[in-house]
């Protein structure tokens, strides 16, 4: 059974306009010069820009669509991009009530002695969790990262195990962490794709603390330090995330920007300067926002069809998409999309919520742009023996005539 869904997805239409012309005495008029037109059905998308970076990726945060990539799965040292995971775990611990923003963290000698970028916390002092979080995100403090790791897991080594568990949960298949800071270590590696996955999780799972990433400076211990993400000054739509640099890793940057409800995530790794990582990021964001658009059509759990159920306590089941439907396409193509559903028939109880009972297919002309499983939004228990017997008889005759 195939059903056309003429819902929000079908936004195409036509308007016919007519003009009334009054007859007048003919007068000579010059022949108009034809105006060249660009076919509306053929949006022009230029080739993605080539970047001066070892690895990069640009994707839409909501649809997950990758718009451009180069060596996106290459295992590379992530430098201080590592601190995105450190701050992510800290924010999750706050959300779960395991720690509080106002909790005081004792600064160890190990944290205090760590070189590289620093928040300048003092050994033996106590620092609030929320201040450490800003020290990690804005100042990229190695000392703040170690202090937070020790507070959450007891030691930085134990915290690294926690980082790897979260990386595995998020599907960061190339990533392995040895420490909380990104300090060079054998086997401490990630990839542009994994860093984009990390950014998506930060934005999705804790929007409150994500706002810290767009703060341009943090004042601590008498020292005012600016956020190293130059994109915060160059593009008002950029609101995060993190820079990284070591001699081995080069200059790295993970950025996110939102315009008109469309959010892009850009990752560059292995550029040769602070200016270069910002410039290459700007190229990606400009290209992505200018030539693509993202539309959310169906929310997770939205009812798309109600179907007959045989041999069940209930005689109907509601079907929809577990993850909703959001698509990113070249500008001008969204209004031409057509969606249809195919439903497995007959549908018999018992049904468990999430059971796949059909498929949604989205087409642009004859090209299939997206498919997704159509699932039961609620379970239906099996009817008693007499109900099942009666429905088996009805279903037999239904099959004869359908």
């Amino acid at each position: 059974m195939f059903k056309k869904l003429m819902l929000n997805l079908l936004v195409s239409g036509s308007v016919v306009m007519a003009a009334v012309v009054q007859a007048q005495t003919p007068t000579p008029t010059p022949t108009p010069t034809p105006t060249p037109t660009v076919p509306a059905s053929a949006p022009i998308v230029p080739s993605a820009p080539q970047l001066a970076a070892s690895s990069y990726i640009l994707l839409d945060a909501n649809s997950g669509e990758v718009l451009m990539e180069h060596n996106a799965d290459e295992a590379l040292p992530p430098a201080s991009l590592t601190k995105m995971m450190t701050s992510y775990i800290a924010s999750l611990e706050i959300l779960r009530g395991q720690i509080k923003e106002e909790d005081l963290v004792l600064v160890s000698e190990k944290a205090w002695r760590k070189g590289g970028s620093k928040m300048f916390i003092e050994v033996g002092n106590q620092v609030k969790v929320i201040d450490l979080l800003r020290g990690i995100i804005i100042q990229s403090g190695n000392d703040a990262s170690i202090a937070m790791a020790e507070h959450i897991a007891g030691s930085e080594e134990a915290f690294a195990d926690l980082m790897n568990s979260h990386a595995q949960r998020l599907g960061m298949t190339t990533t392995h962490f040895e420490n909380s800071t990104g300090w060079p270590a054998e086997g401490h590696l990630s990839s542009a794709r994994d860093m984009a996955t990390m950014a998506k999780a930060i934005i999705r799972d804790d929007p409150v603390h994500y706002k810290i990433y767009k703060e341009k400076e943090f004042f601590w211990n008498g020292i005012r330090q600016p956020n190293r993400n130059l994109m915060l000054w160059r593009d008002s739509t950029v609101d995060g995330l993190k820079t990284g640099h070591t001699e081995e890793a080069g200059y790295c940057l993970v950025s996110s920007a939102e315009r008109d409800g469309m959010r892009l995530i850009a990752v560059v790794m292995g550029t040769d300067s602070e200016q270069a990582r910002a410039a290459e990021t700007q190229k990606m964001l400009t290209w992505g926002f200018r030539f693509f658009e993202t539309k959310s059509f169906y929310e997770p759990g939205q009812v798309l069809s109600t179907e007959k159920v045989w041999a069940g306590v209930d005689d109907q089941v509601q079907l929809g998409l577990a993850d909703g439907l959001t698509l990113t396409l070249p500008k001008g193509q969204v209004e031409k999309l057509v969606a249809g559903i195919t439903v497995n028939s007959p549908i018999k109880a018992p049904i468990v919520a999430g059971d796949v009972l059909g498929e949604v297919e989205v087409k642009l002309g004859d090209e299939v742009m997206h498919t997704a499983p159509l699932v039961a939004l609620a379970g239906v228990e099996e009817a008693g023996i007499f109900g099942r017997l009666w429905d088996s008889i009805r279903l037999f005759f239904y099959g004869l005539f359908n």
Side-chain angles (χ1 to χ4, degrees):
M1 172 168 50
F2 188 76
K3 297 185 176 182
K4 290 292 183 183
L5 294 179
M6 306 301 289
L7 301 175
N8 294 339
L9 193 57
L10 304 181
V11 295
S12 60
S14 61
V15 178
V16 180
M17 302 184 68
V20 178
V21 180
Q22 291 184 331
Q24 295 183 357
T25 303
T27 56
T29 57
T31 302
T33 303
T35 303
T37 60
V38 177
S41 59
I44 298 175
V45 179
S47 299
Q50 299 298 306
L51 307 185
S54 301
S55 174
Y56 53 84
I57 191 170
L58 175 69
L59 56 80
D60 184 274
N62 295 310
S63 70
E65 186 71 22
V66 175
L67 304 183
M68 61 182 290
E69 62 177 285
H70 173 71
N71 292 338
D73 295 307
E74 184 179 356
L76 296 169
S80 285
L81 301 185
T82 299
K83 296 185 178 85
M84 290 197 299
M85 178 61 87
T86 302
S87 64
Y88 174 70
I89 293 174
S91 66
L92 289 186
E93 293 297 297
I94 294 171
L95 291 176
R96 293 168 178 167
Q98 299 299 309
I99 61 175
K100 296 180 176 61
E101 291 185 357
E102 301 303 310
D103 285 352
L104 295 176
V105 178
L106 182 65
V107 179
S108 70
E109 184 172 349
K110 177 182 177 180
W112 171 70
R113 285 189 179 278
K114 193 63 178 180
S117 54
K118 299 174 74 71
M119 180 182 171
F120 296 103
I121 52 180
E122 300 290 343
V123 62
N125 285 358
Q126 292 184 317
V127 183
K128 291 180 180 179
V129 164
I130 190 62
D131 289 330
L132 286 178
L133 195 58
R134 283 189 164 87
I136 296 167
I137 293 171
I138 302 170
Q139 299 176 333
S140 198
N142 291 333
D143 49 358
S145 298
I146 294 173
M148 184 74 82
E150 291 175 338
H151 181 66
I152 291 172
S155 70
E156 189 180 17
E157 293 74 20
F159 188 79
D161 289 340
L162 191 59
M163 296 170 76
N164 289 320
S165 294
H166 280 284
Q168 184 177 16
R169 175 180 63 84
L170 294 171
M172 298 168 63
T173 56
T174 309
T175 298
H176 179 78
F177 296 114
E178 290 288 336
N179 55 62
S180 64
T181 63
W183 194 265
E186 185 177 355
H188 190 102
L189 299 167
S190 189
S191 66
R193 194 183 309 278
D194 281 1
M195 286 293 104
T197 299
M198 183 77 263
K200 282 174 60 179
I202 291 170
I203 295 166
R204 177 192 66 229
D205 295 344
D206 189 8
V208 173
H209 291 110
Y210 174 64
K211 294 177 182 178
I212 296 175
Y213 280 91
K214 69 179 179 181
E215 295 179 14
K216 293 183 177 180
E217 62 179 24
F218 182 50
F219 185 82
W220 177 262
N221 199 20
I223 303 170
R224 187 182 306 276
Q225 294 191 64
N227 195 316
R228 292 168 171 81
N229 185 356
L230 295 181
M231 293 300 298
L232 296 175
W233 282 267
R234 296 187 178 187
D235 186 334
S236 62
T237 66
V238 172
D239 54 12
L241 293 159
K242 190 72 188 72
T243 62
H245 170 250
T246 63
E247 184 175 347
E248 182 184 11
Y251 290 84
C252 309
L253 176 59
V254 179
S255 288
S256 183
E258 186 174 36
R259 301 180 191 175
D260 299 322
M262 178 181 181
R263 177 174 288 280
L264 295 181
I265 293 172
V267 181
V268 294
M269 301 179 73
T271 68
D272 60 11
S273 70
E274 286 187 43
Q275 296 294 330
R277 68 187 175 192
E280 302 307 275
T281 296
Q282 189 69 71
K283 290 177 187 177
M284 284 201 288
L285 293 176
T286 298
W287 182 79
F289 281 120
R290 184 160 296 165
F291 297 108
F292 293 88
E293 60 183 331
T294 296
K295 295 291 183 182
S296 180
F297 299 104
Y298 308 129
E299 296 298 319
Q302 181 179 339
V303 178
L304 300 186
S305 181
T306 300
E307 299 295 329
K308 168 69 178 173
V309 175
W310 299 92
V313 173
D314 300 316
D315 62 359
Q316 290 185 327
V317 63
Q318 294 181 331
L319 309 181
L321 298 174
D323 299 322
L325 177 59
T326 301
L327 298 177
T328 302
L329 293 168
K331 286 186 176 179
Q333 290 190 354
V334 169
E335 65 269 18
K336 302 179 182 68
L337 296 177
V338 177
I341 64 172
T342 303
V343 179
N344 302 338
S345 183
I347 299 174
K348 297 180 180 180
I351 299 167
V352 177
D355 281 353
V356 176
L357 299 176
E359 184 179 68
V360 174
E361 185 178 80
V362 181
K363 288 186 174 182
L364 179 64
D366 293 329
E367 182 181 0
V368 177
M369 306 300 294
H370 182 81
T371 60
L374 191 65
V375 302
L377 299 179
V380 177
E381 293 182 4
E382 194 174 38
I385 185 170
F386 293 109
R388 298 198 305 273
L389 180 60
W390 173 241
D391 264 7
S392 66
I393 297 170
R394 293 173 61 208
L395 186 58
F396 172 76
F397 286 103
Y398 175 84
L400 290 178
F401 297 102
N402 291 276

